[in-house]
Amino acid sequence: MHLQPRLHTAEEMGAIYLVYKEWKVFFMSRYSYFSHLQCPQCGLIFSGSEVRQLCGCGSPLLARYDLEALRQVLPRPELEGRETSLWRYHELLPVERPENVVTLGEGMTPLLPLPRLGAAYDLPHLYMKDEGIIPTGSFKARGATVGLSKAKELGVRQFAMPTNGNAGAAWSLYAARAGIRASVVMPVDAPMITRGECAASGADLYLVNGLISDAGRLVAGKIASGGIYDASTLKEPYRIEGKKTMGIEIAEQFGWTLPDVILYPTGGGVGLIGIYKALSELLELGWIEGPLPRLVAVQAAGCAPIVKAWQEGASRSEFWPNSGTAAFGINVPKALGDFLVLEAVYATGGCAVAVEDEALLSEQRLAASLEGAFVCPEGAAAFAAARKLRESGWIRDGERVVVLNTGMGIKYPETIPVNAPVLQPEDALPS
Amino acid sequence: MHLQPRLHTAEEMGAIYLVYKEWKVFFMSRYSYFSHLQCPQCGLIFSGSEVRQLCGCGSPLLARYDLEALRQVLPRPELEGRETSLWRYHELLPVERPENVVTLGEGMTPLLPLPRLGAAYDLPHLYMKDEGIIPTGSFKARGATVGLSKAKELGVRQFAMPTNGNAGAAWSLYAARAGIRASVVMPVDAPMITRGECAASGADLYLVNGLISDAGRLVAGKIASGGIYDASTLKEPYRIEGKKTMGIEIAEQFGWTLPDVILYPTGGGVGLIGIYKALSELLELGWIEGPLPRLVAVQAAGCAPIVKAWQEGASRSEFWPNSGTAAFGINVPKALGDFLVLEAVYATGGCAVAVEDEALLSEQRLAASLEGAFVCPEGAAAFAAARKLRESGWIRDGERVVVLNTGMGIKYPETIPVNAPVLQPEDALPS
């Protein structure tokens, strides 16, 4: 008998993979409970053992875990004494062998009470999750450590990506540690310091006289020529898994309870999608109880496609023409994952808010002078939104509010005016 | 009977204080086991309950603890589950009431193995303690959190300090959080970004057309006019207590064992003095066993007074004229605590090494491109010294070596040359 070989359909491959995976989960060690990838739009399932980008339907893919099995093994969090990086949650991350982990010690960033700023906003329970205290100085390190660890596990040797600066810096430096070659394209207006980070890492760095959407087109052209991994936001399915750890950490740092509101500066929106995904997984595991915090997507008035969509009750956003803002990281005129951001906002009873550059720059100075928190302009936008939502009454009396500061203010030195007298050694200080 | 009031001598006050302190230690809660201040030069003892600067003999004062009492309560470290900041070691810090702690979540920085850079140096057990992953992006945050917390506890309302940039930035921002007024003087050549940090905090910032020694003279003039706390390096006794936590963390992160060698970029040298102090205290507590690591004071060839003193077997250094280096933080021509640095180096069988700017800048790029570690030029100097000491055989086969990186590379963007082509949106990336 001679069996005619034939190609399996994607559905068949998905089913075969699930059987294999069940066997593997049963017999092998469980550093990770990663199971497979799934398309949130059409439901199709893919193996996570080979390189994947978007689903055939055009949607990003999401990682799924054997949560029921994990629930049996770790019915309640027993994380004390584990390393103080995001890899303490390795069961909920997609890297299957610890030797593939590419780490610079990222995660478990401080969750700080801000009593003085909170008093100014009439928010006595205001907290900042400070993502500046992390390698490369921005939360992009979370996406890079998990994205590149998984890329290494999958045998990736080279990738390309567009960036507004910080993601490119993080991915370049983590790529250097992984021994993977990086090609990065960023707008000429992206923060100067992120150029230096890419250059120091030895990455191939290109500047484009345009926006991140233009950088994206240049990268797409290079990807089309073949052989290079596309590390564009959400075109690879794993950076979101790194970013979701912000949500797990917030829950752990509050003793497995939840705040009422989380405000997140939204460009591509992966962090917000990730936090929602994390909290949903923790609910399913029984590690936390609902209701989930109301998630707020904060944008700049000069680039607010998600806010416009939310105001219209739409499920997707439209390209925002001629976008511009001092909060450069959220200058994203059209996000690939916009529908996932909006879903998270709608599902949690959250909202989307736009703030003017003037308001966010003033909030940046206020946070530094009242709390010593020198936040990035994107983080400052989320503070401005907190003030606005409290003034409008949307945030209610006594609610526990977390603002995500996505990076260090020192990466944007031009946002702070400096007026310092220059003295000669023989002068005296004014009294 | 009428008792004639008289002034007690400093010795009598010290004795009275010790009796009071013993009573207090016995009856009150023990957040801190801080006991008193002591002059390491003349041995005089001072109460730690009021503002102190230098000893009358001109020496810095050091904090002493009731180690015997602590040893009975915490015979072995039971730190698991404690907060992941340096305040996990509160028993060994001088702040007596937790409500005085001024924190931004600093400490427990990563201790990272560097296998690829280690291979390049023939140091298979090379580690970096990464002090860039901390608020304000430099290890100066450790001194600021403890120094300002204690200042707050002592009722200080205003301070002044000279700085090479990073310390002023850290103290300004922590002062803002503490509600204490800061006056900071830095050389015009100090890293530009640190100006922005001071300005954002609302501190009074002055630039001086000279070196840190000139800034020190300006501050001394202001202090002489009265009413202002002198926060100059080692003129207040508590920042060293913050910096010593680097040593405690290294021991804890190695599972309460010790590396063979620690290399530390040395300007004022407080970190090195602090690490030696910490390890000595841990020895006395019985938390670790000796021998202590050989401590290496690394300086730049353009400013190497400690290296010169060490080569001459001297116990103090001399002012280094016309100093200059790209590693601006260690451009300190004469350190107040030089004798303590040299004592730590001699006592541990360590050494002092000078490296050229060219060597340290090249090491900075190598660390970024091999390990994704974008270190500051001062940290890079310590890497260059590790290479040099391995080549000379001073570091022996198989030794466990820790390099202290004192801050983020992004605070010194001018040290990295960037060559990136500028493309137009309609261009294509080179293949």
Side-chain angles (χ1 to χ4, degrees), chain A residues 84 113 116 173 176-177 200 205 207-209 218 222 368-372 421 423-424 427 430, chain B residues 84 113 116 173 176-177 200 205 207-209 218 222 368 370-372 408 421 423-424 427 430:
Chain A
T84 57
R116 302 174 80 210
L173 286 161
R177 185 143 164 100
L205 173 64
L207 306 174
V208 61
N209 204 357
L218 285 168
K222 190 173 176 81
S369 63
L370 285 185
E371 298 284 5
L423 306 174
Q424 300 307 317
D427 289 346
Chain B
T84 57
R116 303 174 80 209
L173 286 161
R177 186 143 164 99
L205 172 65
L207 306 174
V208 61
N209 204 358
L218 285 169
K222 190 174 176 80
L370 286 184
E371 299 283 7
M408 299 188 106
L423 307 173
Q424 300 307 316
D427 290 345

mmCIF file of all heavy atoms in Angstrom, chain A residues 84 113 116 173 176-177 200 205 207-209 218 222 368-372 421 423-424 427 430, chain B residues 84 113 116 173 176-177 200 205 207-209 218 222 368 370-372 408 421 423-424 427 430:
data_model
loop_
_atom_site.group_PDB
_atom_site.id
_atom_site.type_symbol
_atom_site.label_atom_id
_atom_site.label_comp_id
_atom_site.label_asym_id
_atom_site.label_seq_id
_atom_site.Cartn_x
_atom_site.Cartn_y
_atom_site.Cartn_z
ATOM 1 N N THR A 84 13.702 38.366 41.066
ATOM 2 C CA THR A 84 12.906 39.589 41.011
ATOM 3 C C THR A 84 12.908 40.185 39.613
ATOM 4 O O THR A 84 13.140 41.363 39.415
ATOM 5 C CB THR A 84 13.431 40.624 42.015
ATOM 6 O OG1 THR A 84 14.805 40.857 41.721
ATOM 7 C CG2 THR A 84 13.295 40.122 43.429
ATOM 8 N N PRO A 113 3.297 54.554 45.788
ATOM 9 C CA PRO A 113 2.239 55.488 46.162
ATOM 10 C C PRO A 113 2.706 56.925 45.913
ATOM 11 O O PRO A 113 3.867 57.251 46.154
ATOM 12 C CB PRO A 113 2.034 55.238 47.659
ATOM 13 C CG PRO A 113 3.232 54.502 48.134
ATOM 14 C CD PRO A 113 3.930 53.905 46.938
ATOM 15 N N ARG A 116 1.552 63.038 47.401
ATOM 16 C CA ARG A 116 1.493 64.495 47.198
ATOM 17 C C ARG A 116 0.829 64.831 45.865
ATOM 18 O O ARG A 116 0.018 65.750 45.777
ATOM 19 C CB ARG A 116 2.899 65.090 47.298
ATOM 20 C CG ARG A 116 3.535 64.757 48.670
ATOM 21 C CD ARG A 116 4.973 65.213 48.754
ATOM 22 N NE ARG A 116 5.064 66.620 49.033
ATOM 23 C CZ ARG A 116 6.045 67.411 48.638
ATOM 24 N NH1 ARG A 116 7.043 66.922 47.921
ATOM 25 N NH2 ARG A 116 6.057 68.680 48.935
ATOM 26 N N LEU A 173 19.441 46.097 21.857
ATOM 27 C CA LEU A 173 20.335 45.700 22.943
ATOM 28 C C LEU A 173 20.087 44.247 23.365
ATOM 29 O O LEU A 173 21.029 43.485 23.568
ATOM 30 C CB LEU A 173 20.202 46.671 24.121
ATOM 31 C CG LEU A 173 20.877 48.034 23.843
ATOM 32 C CD1 LEU A 173 20.360 49.123 24.784
ATOM 33 C CD2 LEU A 173 22.403 47.931 23.949
ATOM 34 N N ALA A 176 21.643 42.028 20.829
ATOM 35 C CA ALA A 176 23.091 41.881 21.017
ATOM 36 C C ALA A 176 23.371 40.794 22.047
ATOM 37 O O ALA A 176 24.241 39.935 21.853
ATOM 38 C CB ALA A 176 23.693 43.217 21.476
ATOM 39 N N ARG A 177 22.627 40.802 23.122
ATOM 40 C CA ARG A 177 22.845 39.783 24.166
ATOM 41 C C ARG A 177 22.486 38.394 23.654
ATOM 42 O O ARG A 177 23.090 37.398 24.042
ATOM 43 C CB ARG A 177 22.015 40.137 25.400
ATOM 44 C CG ARG A 177 22.270 39.214 26.589
ATOM 45 C CD ARG A 177 22.230 39.976 27.892
ATOM 46 N NE ARG A 177 22.102 39.161 29.076
ATOM 47 C CZ ARG A 177 23.126 38.822 29.877
ATOM 48 N NH1 ARG A 177 24.342 39.226 29.585
ATOM 49 N NH2 ARG A 177 22.930 38.084 30.954
ATOM 50 N N ALA A 200 25.135 51.637 19.770
ATOM 51 C CA ALA A 200 26.036 50.954 20.709
ATOM 52 C C ALA A 200 25.894 49.446 20.602
ATOM 53 O O ALA A 200 26.870 48.708 20.743
ATOM 54 C CB ALA A 200 25.734 51.418 22.138
ATOM 55 N N LEU A 205 21.077 50.572 11.860
ATOM 56 C CA LEU A 205 20.086 51.603 12.177
ATOM 57 C C LEU A 205 19.848 52.496 10.967
ATOM 58 O O LEU A 205 20.800 52.959 10.332
ATOM 59 C CB LEU A 205 20.580 52.450 13.357
ATOM 60 C CG LEU A 205 19.734 53.686 13.703
ATOM 61 C CD1 LEU A 205 18.328 53.285 14.161
ATOM 62 C CD2 LEU A 205 20.425 54.519 14.778
ATOM 63 N N LEU A 207 17.316 55.878 9.624
ATOM 64 C CA LEU A 207 16.350 56.916 9.990
ATOM 65 C C LEU A 207 15.469 57.179 8.781
ATOM 66 O O LEU A 207 15.938 57.096 7.642
ATOM 67 C CB LEU A 207 17.093 58.192 10.383
ATOM 68 C CG LEU A 207 18.154 58.006 11.476
ATOM 69 C CD1 LEU A 207 18.941 59.293 11.684
ATOM 70 C CD2 LEU A 207 17.515 57.549 12.783
ATOM 71 N N VAL A 208 14.210 57.488 9.023
ATOM 72 C CA VAL A 208 13.338 57.833 7.905
ATOM 73 C C VAL A 208 12.724 59.204 8.161
ATOM 74 O O VAL A 208 12.326 59.537 9.274
ATOM 75 C CB VAL A 208 12.241 56.754 7.660
ATOM 76 C CG1 VAL A 208 11.332 56.598 8.871
ATOM 77 C CG2 VAL A 208 11.424 57.108 6.420
ATOM 78 N N ASN A 209 12.704 59.955 7.078
ATOM 79 C CA ASN A 209 12.164 61.300 7.112
ATOM 80 C C ASN A 209 10.639 61.218 7.079
ATOM 81 O O ASN A 209 10.013 61.615 6.100
ATOM 82 C CB ASN A 209 12.722 62.028 5.887
ATOM 83 C CG ASN A 209 12.731 63.524 6.079
ATOM 84 O OD1 ASN A 209 12.264 64.015 7.104
ATOM 85 N ND2 ASN A 209 13.236 64.225 5.099
ATOM 86 N N LEU A 218 8.990 50.643 5.021
ATOM 87 C CA LEU A 218 10.358 50.276 4.650
ATOM 88 C C LEU A 218 10.702 48.872 5.158
ATOM 89 O O LEU A 218 11.302 48.067 4.442
ATOM 90 C CB LEU A 218 11.352 51.291 5.238
ATOM 91 C CG LEU A 218 11.394 52.646 4.516
ATOM 92 C CD1 LEU A 218 12.165 53.668 5.347
ATOM 93 C CD2 LEU A 218 12.036 52.487 3.135
ATOM 94 N N LYS A 222 11.608 45.138 3.147
ATOM 95 C CA LYS A 222 12.769 44.281 3.405
ATOM 96 C C LYS A 222 12.309 42.858 3.771
ATOM 97 O O LYS A 222 12.905 41.875 3.325
ATOM 98 C CB LYS A 222 13.595 44.872 4.556
ATOM 99 C CG LYS A 222 14.951 44.181 4.741
ATOM 100 C CD LYS A 222 15.793 44.912 5.786
ATOM 101 C CE LYS A 222 17.108 44.187 6.051
ATOM 102 N NZ LYS A 222 18.147 44.459 5.053
ATOM 103 N N ALA A 368 7.666 65.519 38.874
ATOM 104 C CA ALA A 368 9.065 65.583 39.311
ATOM 105 C C ALA A 368 9.203 66.455 40.557
ATOM 106 O O ALA A 368 9.932 66.109 41.490
ATOM 107 C CB ALA A 368 9.949 66.115 38.186
ATOM 108 N N SER A 369 8.494 67.574 40.578
ATOM 109 C CA SER A 369 8.719 68.504 41.693
ATOM 110 C C SER A 369 7.963 68.102 42.954
ATOM 111 O O SER A 369 8.373 68.457 44.046
ATOM 112 C CB SER A 369 8.360 69.931 41.273
ATOM 113 O OG SER A 369 6.990 70.012 40.954
ATOM 114 N N LEU A 370 6.873 67.337 42.820
ATOM 115 C CA LEU A 370 6.143 66.903 44.022
ATOM 116 C C LEU A 370 6.564 65.527 44.510
ATOM 117 O O LEU A 370 6.497 65.226 45.697
ATOM 118 C CB LEU A 370 4.634 66.869 43.748
ATOM 119 C CG LEU A 370 3.902 68.206 43.687
ATOM 120 C CD1 LEU A 370 2.405 67.962 43.527
ATOM 121 C CD2 LEU A 370 4.170 69.035 44.929
ATOM 122 N N GLU A 371 6.993 64.663 43.578
ATOM 123 C CA GLU A 371 7.246 63.272 43.971
ATOM 124 C C GLU A 371 8.641 62.778 43.585
ATOM 125 O O GLU A 371 8.969 61.610 43.817
ATOM 126 C CB GLU A 371 6.194 62.341 43.321
ATOM 127 C CG GLU A 371 4.763 62.626 43.741
ATOM 128 C CD GLU A 371 4.414 62.120 45.144
ATOM 129 O OE1 GLU A 371 5.323 61.624 45.857
ATOM 130 O OE2 GLU A 371 3.232 62.216 45.525
ATOM 131 N N GLY A 372 9.443 63.639 42.953
ATOM 132 C CA GLY A 372 10.761 63.177 42.509
ATOM 133 C C GLY A 372 10.682 62.170 41.367
ATOM 134 O O GLY A 372 11.656 61.492 41.076
ATOM 135 N N PRO A 421 22.186 79.547 36.423
ATOM 136 C CA PRO A 421 23.254 80.541 36.286
ATOM 137 C C PRO A 421 24.627 79.870 36.230
ATOM 138 O O PRO A 421 24.852 78.861 36.909
ATOM 139 C CB PRO A 421 23.141 81.373 37.566
ATOM 140 C CG PRO A 421 21.978 80.858 38.330
ATOM 141 C CD PRO A 421 21.451 79.640 37.678
ATOM 142 N N LEU A 423 28.451 80.217 37.173
ATOM 143 C CA LEU A 423 29.311 80.975 38.088
ATOM 144 C C LEU A 423 30.775 80.698 37.786
ATOM 145 O O LEU A 423 31.116 79.677 37.176
ATOM 146 C CB LEU A 423 29.010 80.579 39.535
ATOM 147 C CG LEU A 423 27.543 80.682 39.980
ATOM 148 C CD1 LEU A 423 27.365 80.115 41.375
ATOM 149 C CD2 LEU A 423 27.068 82.131 39.929
ATOM 150 N N GLN A 424 31.630 81.602 38.233
ATOM 151 C CA GLN A 424 33.077 81.373 38.186
ATOM 152 C C GLN A 424 33.510 80.834 39.549
ATOM 153 O O GLN A 424 32.847 81.089 40.559
ATOM 154 C CB GLN A 424 33.814 82.688 37.862
ATOM 155 C CG GLN A 424 33.408 83.297 36.518
ATOM 156 C CD GLN A 424 33.529 82.330 35.347
ATOM 157 O OE1 GLN A 424 34.508 81.591 35.222
ATOM 158 N NE2 GLN A 424 32.519 82.329 34.473
ATOM 159 N N ASP A 427 33.348 83.127 42.457
ATOM 160 C CA ASP A 427 32.059 83.726 42.828
ATOM 161 C C ASP A 427 31.557 83.142 44.158
ATOM 162 O O ASP A 427 32.173 82.255 44.739
ATOM 163 C CB ASP A 427 31.010 83.436 41.748
ATOM 164 C CG ASP A 427 31.275 84.230 40.472
ATOM 165 O OD1 ASP A 427 32.083 85.177 40.515
ATOM 166 O OD2 ASP A 427 30.694 83.880 39.429
ATOM 167 N N PRO A 430 24.361 82.800 45.579
ATOM 168 C CA PRO A 430 23.410 83.765 46.153
ATOM 169 C C PRO A 430 22.815 83.188 47.443
ATOM 170 O O PRO A 430 22.659 81.979 47.571
ATOM 171 C CB PRO A 430 22.343 83.910 45.069
ATOM 172 C CG PRO A 430 22.613 82.885 44.036
ATOM 173 C CD PRO A 430 23.967 82.305 44.262
ATOM 174 N N THR B 84 11.455 44.390 47.353
ATOM 175 C CA THR B 84 12.635 44.247 46.507
ATOM 176 C C THR B 84 13.308 45.594 46.306
ATOM 177 O O THR B 84 13.647 45.984 45.188
ATOM 178 C CB THR B 84 12.255 43.641 45.145
ATOM 179 O OG1 THR B 84 11.275 44.477 44.547
ATOM 180 C CG2 THR B 84 11.699 42.253 45.312
ATOM 181 N N PRO B 113 25.225 37.558 34.869
ATOM 182 C CA PRO B 113 26.386 36.892 34.271
ATOM 183 C C PRO B 113 26.640 37.452 32.863
ATOM 184 O O PRO B 113 25.684 37.728 32.132
ATOM 185 C CB PRO B 113 25.959 35.423 34.198
ATOM 186 C CG PRO B 113 24.482 35.411 34.344
ATOM 187 C CD PRO B 113 24.041 36.703 34.965
ATOM 188 N N ARG B 116 29.575 36.238 27.323
ATOM 189 C CA ARG B 116 30.268 36.543 26.065
ATOM 190 C C ARG B 116 31.402 37.535 26.308
ATOM 191 O O ARG B 116 32.498 37.395 25.764
ATOM 192 C CB ARG B 116 29.272 37.063 25.031
ATOM 193 C CG ARG B 116 28.136 36.040 24.788
ATOM 194 C CD ARG B 116 27.063 36.603 23.880
ATOM 195 N NE ARG B 116 27.460 36.523 22.497
ATOM 196 C CZ ARG B 116 27.054 37.361 21.545
ATOM 197 N NH1 ARG B 116 26.263 38.361 21.850
ATOM 198 N NH2 ARG B 116 27.451 37.203 20.308
ATOM 199 N N LEU B 173 15.952 64.956 43.094
ATOM 200 C CA LEU B 173 14.662 64.291 42.893
ATOM 201 C C LEU B 173 14.154 63.668 44.195
ATOM 202 O O LEU B 173 12.966 63.785 44.528
ATOM 203 C CB LEU B 173 14.776 63.257 41.764
ATOM 204 C CG LEU B 173 14.840 63.915 40.369
ATOM 205 C CD1 LEU B 173 15.397 62.966 39.309
ATOM 206 C CD2 LEU B 173 13.456 64.417 39.934
ATOM 207 N N ALA B 176 12.778 66.373 46.325
ATOM 208 C CA ALA B 176 11.419 66.768 45.931
ATOM 209 C C ALA B 176 10.409 65.836 46.588
ATOM 210 O O ALA B 176 9.393 66.284 47.131
ATOM 211 C CB ALA B 176 11.281 66.720 44.406
ATOM 212 N N ARG B 177 10.698 64.551 46.562
ATOM 213 C CA ARG B 177 9.755 63.584 47.166
ATOM 214 C C ARG B 177 9.672 63.775 48.676
ATOM 215 O O ARG B 177 8.624 63.536 49.286
ATOM 216 C CB ARG B 177 10.200 62.164 46.818
ATOM 217 C CG ARG B 177 9.216 61.091 47.272
ATOM 218 C CD ARG B 177 9.112 59.964 46.274
ATOM 219 N NE ARG B 177 8.497 58.753 46.769
ATOM 220 C CZ ARG B 177 7.228 58.402 46.560
ATOM 221 N NH1 ARG B 177 6.431 59.196 45.878
ATOM 222 N NH2 ARG B 177 6.760 57.265 47.015
ATOM 223 N N ALA B 200 13.972 69.681 36.661
ATOM 224 C CA ALA B 200 12.627 69.113 36.759
ATOM 225 C C ALA B 200 12.175 69.014 38.210
ATOM 226 O O ALA B 200 11.002 69.198 38.533
ATOM 227 C CB ALA B 200 12.576 67.738 36.098
ATOM 228 N N LEU B 205 19.630 75.195 40.920
ATOM 229 C CA LEU B 205 20.787 74.617 40.226
ATOM 230 C C LEU B 205 21.741 75.725 39.789
ATOM 231 O O LEU B 205 21.318 76.713 39.187
ATOM 232 C CB LEU B 205 20.317 73.818 39.005
ATOM 233 C CG LEU B 205 21.410 73.300 38.064
ATOM 234 C CD1 LEU B 205 22.305 72.274 38.770
ATOM 235 C CD2 LEU B 205 20.792 72.689 36.805
ATOM 236 N N LEU B 207 25.689 76.270 37.855
ATOM 237 C CA LEU B 207 26.807 75.661 37.136
ATOM 238 C C LEU B 207 28.066 76.434 37.479
ATOM 239 O O LEU B 207 28.016 77.652 37.664
ATOM 240 C CB LEU B 207 26.553 75.720 35.635
ATOM 241 C CG LEU B 207 25.214 75.121 35.191
ATOM 242 C CD1 LEU B 207 24.998 75.363 33.697
ATOM 243 C CD2 LEU B 207 25.149 73.643 35.509
ATOM 244 N N VAL B 208 29.193 75.736 37.558
ATOM 245 C CA VAL B 208 30.446 76.445 37.815
ATOM 246 C C VAL B 208 31.443 76.115 36.709
ATOM 247 O O VAL B 208 31.543 74.971 36.259
ATOM 248 C CB VAL B 208 31.030 76.129 39.215
ATOM 249 C CG1 VAL B 208 31.348 74.641 39.366
ATOM 250 C CG2 VAL B 208 32.285 76.950 39.478
ATOM 251 N N ASN B 209 32.103 77.153 36.293
ATOM 252 C CA ASN B 209 33.087 77.045 35.232
ATOM 253 C C ASN B 209 34.375 76.461 35.819
ATOM 254 O O ASN B 209 35.392 77.128 35.922
ATOM 255 C CB ASN B 209 33.319 78.460 34.696
ATOM 256 C CG ASN B 209 33.823 78.433 33.275
ATOM 257 O OD1 ASN B 209 34.032 77.363 32.710
ATOM 258 N ND2 ASN B 209 34.024 79.617 32.720
ATOM 259 N N LEU B 218 32.269 76.615 46.512
ATOM 260 C CA LEU B 218 31.068 77.465 46.481
ATOM 261 C C LEU B 218 30.054 77.004 47.525
ATOM 262 O O LEU B 218 29.442 77.823 48.228
ATOM 263 C CB LEU B 218 30.440 77.433 45.083
ATOM 264 C CG LEU B 218 31.181 78.236 44.011
ATOM 265 C CD1 LEU B 218 30.640 77.910 42.622
ATOM 266 C CD2 LEU B 218 31.016 79.733 44.289
ATOM 267 N N LYS B 222 28.433 78.831 51.116
ATOM 268 C CA LYS B 222 27.017 78.969 51.454
ATOM 269 C C LYS B 222 26.724 78.330 52.816
ATOM 270 O O LYS B 222 25.966 78.879 53.616
ATOM 271 C CB LYS B 222 26.162 78.314 50.365
ATOM 272 C CG LYS B 222 24.670 78.617 50.492
ATOM 273 C CD LYS B 222 23.904 78.070 49.297
ATOM 274 C CE LYS B 222 22.406 78.259 49.444
ATOM 275 N NZ LYS B 222 21.963 79.623 49.104
ATOM 276 N N ALA B 368 28.146 46.702 25.123
ATOM 277 C CA ALA B 368 26.821 46.863 24.489
ATOM 278 C C ALA B 368 26.637 45.873 23.347
ATOM 279 O O ALA B 368 25.578 45.276 23.199
ATOM 280 C CB ALA B 368 26.644 48.293 23.984
ATOM 281 N N LEU B 370 28.228 42.963 22.764
ATOM 282 C CA LEU B 370 28.286 41.542 23.110
ATOM 283 C C LEU B 370 27.213 41.130 24.110
ATOM 284 O O LEU B 370 26.778 39.984 24.116
ATOM 285 C CB LEU B 370 29.659 41.174 23.704
ATOM 286 C CG LEU B 370 30.837 41.085 22.738
ATOM 287 C CD1 LEU B 370 32.078 40.608 23.492
ATOM 288 C CD2 LEU B 370 30.528 40.144 21.580
ATOM 289 N N GLU B 371 26.806 42.058 24.970
ATOM 290 C CA GLU B 371 25.908 41.665 26.060
ATOM 291 C C GLU B 371 24.653 42.521 26.147
ATOM 292 O O GLU B 371 23.819 42.305 27.032
ATOM 293 C CB GLU B 371 26.640 41.740 27.421
ATOM 294 C CG GLU B 371 27.862 40.820 27.533
ATOM 295 C CD GLU B 371 27.488 39.350 27.760
ATOM 296 O OE1 GLU B 371 26.296 39.014 27.708
ATOM 297 O OE2 GLU B 371 28.415 38.549 27.973
ATOM 298 N N GLY B 372 24.508 43.507 25.252
ATOM 299 C CA GLY B 372 23.346 44.385 25.344
ATOM 300 C C GLY B 372 23.392 45.287 26.552
ATOM 301 O O GLY B 372 22.380 45.868 26.938
ATOM 302 N N MET B 408 23.542 54.229 33.849
ATOM 303 C CA MET B 408 23.120 53.950 32.482
ATOM 304 C C MET B 408 23.963 54.699 31.461
ATOM 305 O O MET B 408 24.241 55.891 31.642
ATOM 306 C CB MET B 408 21.680 54.412 32.275
ATOM 307 C CG MET B 408 20.668 53.735 33.145
ATOM 308 S SD MET B 408 18.998 54.212 32.640
ATOM 309 C CE MET B 408 18.487 52.688 31.836
ATOM 310 N N PRO B 421 22.094 56.119 8.140
ATOM 311 C CA PRO B 421 21.611 56.776 6.909
ATOM 312 C C PRO B 421 20.192 57.297 7.089
ATOM 313 O O PRO B 421 19.381 56.661 7.758
ATOM 314 C CB PRO B 421 21.628 55.646 5.868
ATOM 315 C CG PRO B 421 22.137 54.423 6.534
ATOM 316 C CD PRO B 421 22.337 54.688 7.980
ATOM 317 N N LEU B 423 16.742 57.995 5.272
ATOM 318 C CA LEU B 423 16.013 57.584 4.081
ATOM 319 C C LEU B 423 14.742 58.415 3.925
ATOM 320 O O LEU B 423 14.252 58.992 4.896
ATOM 321 C CB LEU B 423 15.639 56.104 4.178
ATOM 322 C CG LEU B 423 16.785 55.128 4.464
ATOM 323 C CD1 LEU B 423 16.257 53.716 4.698
ATOM 324 C CD2 LEU B 423 17.790 55.137 3.315
ATOM 325 N N GLN B 424 14.226 58.442 2.710
ATOM 326 C CA GLN B 424 12.917 59.034 2.460
ATOM 327 C C GLN B 424 11.877 57.913 2.481
ATOM 328 O O GLN B 424 12.212 56.747 2.245
ATOM 329 C CB GLN B 424 12.893 59.754 1.108
ATOM 330 C CG GLN B 424 13.912 60.882 0.981
ATOM 331 C CD GLN B 424 13.825 61.901 2.101
ATOM 332 O OE1 GLN B 424 12.743 62.318 2.489
ATOM 333 N NE2 GLN B 424 14.983 62.277 2.664
ATOM 334 N N ASP B 427 11.962 55.404 -0.280
ATOM 335 C CA ASP B 427 13.179 54.608 -0.486
ATOM 336 C C ASP B 427 12.941 53.138 -0.113
ATOM 337 O O ASP B 427 11.878 52.763 0.344
ATOM 338 C CB ASP B 427 14.326 55.151 0.385
ATOM 339 C CG ASP B 427 14.826 56.510 -0.119
ATOM 340 O OD1 ASP B 427 14.494 56.884 -1.261
ATOM 341 O OD2 ASP B 427 15.533 57.192 0.656
ATOM 342 N N PRO B 430 18.516 48.954 2.226
ATOM 343 C CA PRO B 430 19.531 48.149 1.529
ATOM 344 C C PRO B 430 19.379 46.685 1.924
ATOM 345 O O PRO B 430 18.980 46.387 3.047
ATOM 346 C CB PRO B 430 20.856 48.725 2.033
ATOM 347 C CG PRO B 430 20.542 49.676 3.117
ATOM 348 C CD PRO B 430 19.085 49.940 3.141
#
